[in-house]
Amino acid sequence: MRRGEGRGQAWILLLVWATWSTAFGGWLAGDGRLARWAPDLTVALFASLAGFLAARDVPRLALVAALARVSLSGEVPLALLAGFLALASAANLVRHFVDLRGPFARAGLAALAAPALAAWSEAVRAARAGEAFGLAGGEFAALSFASALVTLVGGDLLARLPGLTPLRRRPW
Amino acid sequence: MVAALGLGVLAYFSLRPLEPLERAVDFLFLPARLVGELAAPARWWNARELRAAERRSLAGLEHEAREVAALLEAEQRHALPRAELLAGRSIVHGEVVRRSAKSLDRALVRLATTEGIEPGLPVVAGEYLVGRVEALSGDRPDEVEVALVTASDVFFGAEILPPASELGAPGARAVVGGLAPRVEGEAAGAHHLAVHNPSRHAVLSGPVRVREPEALDDPFAALAQGFLLGELEHVQHPGGGVLRRVRPGLDYRGGLYQVLVLRPGARDDGTAWEREVRLALDTLDPTRWRRVRALGGQGIARGRSLRTLAAGSWSGARQGAALASGAWLVGRLGRVGPLTSSARMLDDVGLTVPAIAWAAGLPRPIALGELRSVGRDHEGTLLLEWRSGGEHLASGPLAVRLYTGSGHAGVPRGLLLGDALLPAGAGRHVLRIERDAAHAAVRDPWLWVGESAEVRP
């Protein structure tokens, strides 16, 4: 396969996977028993893939993740766009020092990114409504732990989802 | 460097929204409507539970519809003043739809009819004066703009009666209108009407009612005669002297729901107007609702209670419109994009809804004003914050059923909110709302489109 061949389809498939991950994450979080410990699966997919893509593709990954999230979550699109692009910038910065393909590195990225995105979303809500910030520290800890665990255990699976091979920067 | 600057700009305008940029991003994300359809298989994951929840939520609809109709009928009945205040007048029922974009002292009121309605006609609620019709609304043929008596340019001649303990003592005349200055240390929500030019300075208390001078060149002055404004009270002004003011009998800020416009008893040609024209009770009219499909689950935005709905401004969805399951309010539309909108469910922190409380034994429904969602407690019970002025209950708590009130555009009155214990006393109260979880579980809610439907002139 020549370089670049099939990348368009791969991005579309990534959008499908990101949408399903987001929907499944929402289903888990919407279940009263699991809500507190539900991971952010959009972020888990982002963290699992970020290390395997070329640096220039990471912002595109962020755009895909933001699009999936906008389509289902009801959050402010501009805030999600800013949030995921900030995550992409952070990931590209970190990969100069850490190999994000390793299980612990990507779990660490998810552990930081999931609560950061939740905090950002809440900050936007609070600022727009003129109200106080309303998320408790315990909620961040649970979200961070659950997202990190899923990325640690299932990151390989997420990075190897069918159809994404053309996006990876080097063979396995 | 450029990327960091761009991110900074996006972050800044996320926190301080700029309408054209928001619209541009909404257009950029138009494909999200199609992408949302990719999640369709997610609808199968718990389809059986959702169908059961839907069946349960609709099970009591017939009974609830009767209950809502009874509430709305009672509300209209209790908006009427005593019979002697209606002599020589005909009345048109109206409902406060929203406050004017220009000022809180102006309210848009939807009327049962605008026949015979002219600027200057008085507007009342029960025995209390609300204000005057200022203009017919340019937006909709059945709406008028009402200037409240709290406005700085609205005045009524008034008579201060002696207090009940001093019957026979002389009263006083004055002009009442606009808000009195707030005295330092008073609660921020408290408001009083200003008293101007009292004829006797010795009168410091007593009921205040409208008494326009007979010589006034106002064809409608006599119509407001006798309606109450509130109770005269006096406080020491920090700068010295006594500040007279009227403690209003109505909560002009959040408690105005059902109002009446007073017309003369007869037309100019001498034929009598219909004595009372009531509003149609259309809250549960099926033609005013449209089923909308949810594209995602509720838990994706952490700490929020949001859903994405497959209805946007291009299909008539409007920000703030009510979402219901059966006769129960489940949320309101938040941000509305061209093809999709964000539904804020009732437990989304910060969501506000006007509310009425009613219970067997209460003489009339209580207008509570605005309730604000503070989420759910650890048991999953919905919590709504109520800022009470303390005037509603002498003692409490009282078990009541809560319904939506009027005054928020897009929210019809009378939708069920749940059961709660209403505490007595002024201040901030958090009400625990008991309601069947099935209503929150219903995935595809009904969207109120009543106000965008055709209206009769």
Side-chain angles (χ1 to χ4, degrees):
Chain A
M1 184 186 284
R2 277 178 294 137
R3 182 174 167 77
E5 198 174 329
R7 278 173 59 85
Q9 292 95 312
W11 282 114
I12 290 169
L13 269 173
L14 175 60
L15 181 59
V16 174
W17 288 121
T19 307
W20 286 2
S21 302
T22 305
F24 187 57
W27 178 67
L28 290 177
D31 186 308
R33 295 154 298 183
L34 301 171
R36 189 174 172 79
W37 295 100
D40 184 332
L41 290 183
T42 327
V43 168
L45 180 67
F46 176 90
S48 302
L49 274 171
F52 291 100
L53 303 189
R56 67 171 188 284
D57 282 339
V58 177
R60 291 173 195 160
L61 171 63
L63 282 176
V64 168
L67 181 57
R69 188 76 163 244
V70 166
S71 68
L72 299 178
S73 77
E75 291 163 284
V76 179
L78 189 62
L80 283 174
L81 185 64
F84 274 103
L85 286 175
L87 288 187
S89 301
N92 273 345
L93 189 69
V94 167
R95 60 198 271 158
H96 288 303
F97 314 103
V98 181
D99 185 356
L100 285 177
R101 289 170 298 182
F104 289 102
R106 66 189 180 220
L109 179 62
L112 294 174
L117 199 65
W120 169 241
S121 188
E122 171 59 15
V124 169
R125 182 204 70 80
R128 288 177 175 225
E131 293 179 359
F133 189 85
L135 276 183
E139 291 175 63
F140 288 127
L143 175 63
S144 174
F145 176 77
S147 305
L149 188 65
V150 165
T151 314
L152 181 70
V153 175
D156 270 342
L157 182 71
L158 290 171
R160 290 167 189 266
L161 284 169
L164 304 186
T165 307
L167 301 181
R168 288 195 284 266
R169 65 186 156 128
R170 61 187 73 164
W172 294 88
Chain B
M1 185 63 190
V2 175
L5 195 65
L7 259 181
V9 169
L10 285 180
Y12 179 81
F13 287 113
S14 297
L15 297 168
R16 301 192 182 285
L18 182 70
E19 191 53 36
L21 184 62
E22 296 270 308
R23 274 207 299 272
V25 174
D26 278 342
F27 275 94
L28 184 72
F29 278 104
L30 276 182
R33 171 69 181 80
L34 284 176
V35 174
E37 297 293 347
L38 293 174
R43 297 173 69 86
W44 308 329
W45 291 335
N46 52 353
R48 191 185 299 173
E49 290 165 41
L50 289 170
R51 273 199 300 273
E54 178 135 357
R55 273 197 301 274
R56 234 169 74 203
S57 78
L58 294 175
L61 182 58
E62 204 175 309
H63 168 74
E64 287 156 2
R66 279 197 300 272
E67 185 185 325
V68 168
L71 169 90
L72 299 177
E73 202 279 327
E75 217 195 347
Q76 294 207 9
R77 198 174 56 245
H78 287 296
L80 295 173
R82 61 179 194 276
E84 57 260 42
L85 283 174
L86 292 178
R89 302 162 171 108
S90 67
I91 55 178
V92 176
H93 284 259
E95 175 192 17
V96 176
V97 177
R98 61 187 177 276
R99 289 306 165 94
S100 158
K102 288 180 279 183
S103 158
L104 275 178
D105 297 317
R106 260 75 184 168
L108 285 162
V109 173
R110 183 168 67 93
L111 295 180
T113 177
T114 48
E115 209 184 346
I117 300 298
E118 294 179 51
L121 286 173
V123 181
V124 300
E127 312 215 334
Y128 286 93
L129 184 85
V130 170
R132 279 195 188 99
V133 172
E134 189 163 63
L136 299 176
S137 164
D139 299 338
R140 289 172 52 95
D142 61 347
E143 281 181 7
V144 293
E145 190 165 309
V146 171
L148 307 185
V149 67
T150 53
S152 59
D153 56 348
V154 173
F155 302 100
F156 283 87
E159 177 182 29
I160 305 165
L161 303 170
S165 58
E166 298 169 24
L167 278 180
R173 302 287 288 270
V175 173
V176 173
L179 285 176
R182 185 175 300 150
V183 175
E184 209 170 306
E186 274 187 328
H191 59 274
H192 296 83
L193 301 176
V195 175
H196 314 274
N197 307 322
S199 63
R200 292 184 64 240
H201 287 273
V203 178
L204 295 173
S205 63
V208 183
R209 67 183 185 193
V210 176
R211 187 167 169 196
E212 298 278 29
E214 287 77 11
L216 204 65
D217 186 24
D218 177 355
F220 306 128
L223 292 173
Q225 227 64 303
F227 280 85
L228 287 166
L229 288 155
E231 281 283 325
L232 184 73
E233 61 178 33
H234 65 283
V235 287
Q236 287 302 319
H237 207 283
V242 171
L243 174 69
R244 284 174 194 77
R245 60 189 192 179
V246 175
R247 190 173 70 249
L250 295 173
D251 174 4
Y252 291 103
R253 193 164 45 94
L256 285 182
Y257 293 166
Q258 295 291 305
V259 295
L260 308 170
V261 178
L262 303 176
R263 293 183 304 192
R267 297 178 175 89
D268 293 341
D269 62 7
T271 56
W273 287 110
E274 191 180 343
R275 189 165 166 75
E276 180 184 355
V277 188
R278 291 199 167 198
L279 278 169
L281 306 178
D282 56 0
T283 297
L284 295 182
D285 177 352
T287 63
R288 304 261 173 175
W289 294 92
R290 181 157 61 90
R291 192 77 187 263
V292 284
R293 208 153 46 84
L295 291 174
Q298 195 166 321
I300 298 168
R302 208 49 61 93
R304 302 291 308 274
S305 189
L306 305 174
R307 287 182 195 172
T308 297
L309 299 180
S313 57
W314 289 356
S315 56
R318 295 286 175 266
Q319 189 168 0
L323 297 164
S325 154
W328 292 74
L329 183 80
V330 295
R332 298 181 66 181
L333 283 191
R335 210 185 42 77
V336 176
L339 295 175
T340 58
S341 51
S342 167
R344 297 186 69 186
M345 309 316 284
L346 205 46
D347 54 348
D348 188 42
V349 174
L351 183 82
T352 55
V353 60
I356 303 170
W358 200 27
L362 274 180
R364 68 189 56 189
I366 301 174
L368 297 181
E370 199 172 83
L371 301 183
R372 176 183 173 275
S373 178
V374 286
R376 292 185 181 275
D377 66 9
H378 61 280
E379 291 168 355
T381 307
L382 174 67
L383 303 175
L384 296 177
E385 181 187 83
W386 175 44
R387 289 182 188 276
S388 165
E391 67 275 20
H392 301 295
L393 290 180
S395 62
L398 176 71
V400 293
R401 178 156 269 199
L402 301 179
Y403 306 81
T404 55
S406 310
H408 283 206
V411 180
R413 67 203 193 285
L415 288 174
L416 287 154
L417 289 169
D419 297 318
L421 284 174
L422 207 60
R428 173 188 176 273
H429 304 289
V430 175
L431 308 177
R432 287 171 54 87
I433 311 296
E434 302 292 341
R435 50 191 268 142
D436 190 337
H439 302 297
V442 168
R443 181 166 39 200
D444 299 333
W446 292 85
L447 171 69
W448 173 255
V449 291
E451 285 161 30
S452 60
E454 275 195 23
V455 290
R456 65 186 173 127

